[in-house]
Amino acid sequence: MDSSSSGGPARRMRSGAVALGGMGLLAASLVACGSSSEPDKRCADRSTLNQLSMKECKSGGRGSYYYGGTVSSGKVTGGSFDKSAVQRGGIGGGSSSSGG
C-alpha cells in the first residue's frame, strides 16, 4: 500500500470538514449577534390586532409595538403590547414557567 495515495483523499476530506465547520461557526456567531434580551417586536393596531408597517409606531402613528408572538393572516397573536410580559427565548425557542 502506498501511504501517499491513501493520505490524499483524507486530506481533502479534512479541509472540507474544516470549511464546513467554519461555516457552522459563522452561522452560530450570526445567530448570537442577533440574539438579545429584547423580545421580537412588530407594529400592530391595538384594537384590531392587524400588523402595521413599522412607521405607524413611530412619530405619533396609529400603531403600538407588539412584543413576541407571531403573525398569522395579517394579525398578531401569542405576544403582548406589554414588553415586560414577554421574554425572549434563546436558540431553539423560549420556555414559560408558572408560579406555584
Side-chain angles (χ1 to χ4, degrees):
M1 286 186 125
D2 184 9
S3 63
S4 63
S5 64
S6 65
R11 284 189 182 159
R12 276 188 229 123
M13 185 182 277
R14 268 187 251 139
S15 63
V18 169
L20 290 174
M23 293 299 285
L25 287 174
L26 176 63
S29 64
L30 289 174
V31 168
C33 288
S35 298
S36 70
S37 60
E38 294 289 314
D40 293 335
K41 71 179 177 182
R42 53 194 48 90
C43 190
D45 184 299
R46 281 186 178 270
S47 59
T48 64
L49 298 179
N50 288 331
Q51 183 179 18
L52 305 171
S53 69
M54 291 301 276
K55 70 180 183 181
E56 292 291 340
C57 283
K58 299 175 183 170
S59 320
R62 64 186 173 112
S64 298
Y65 287 116
Y66 187 83
Y67 299 95
T70 59
V71 178
S72 178
S73 300
K75 293 192 179 280
V76 293
T77 182
S80 175
F81 287 103
D82 180 8
K83 182 179 178 180
S84 63
V86 179
Q87 282 188 324
R88 178 171 177 94
I91 296 173
S95 63
S96 60
S97 61
S98 59

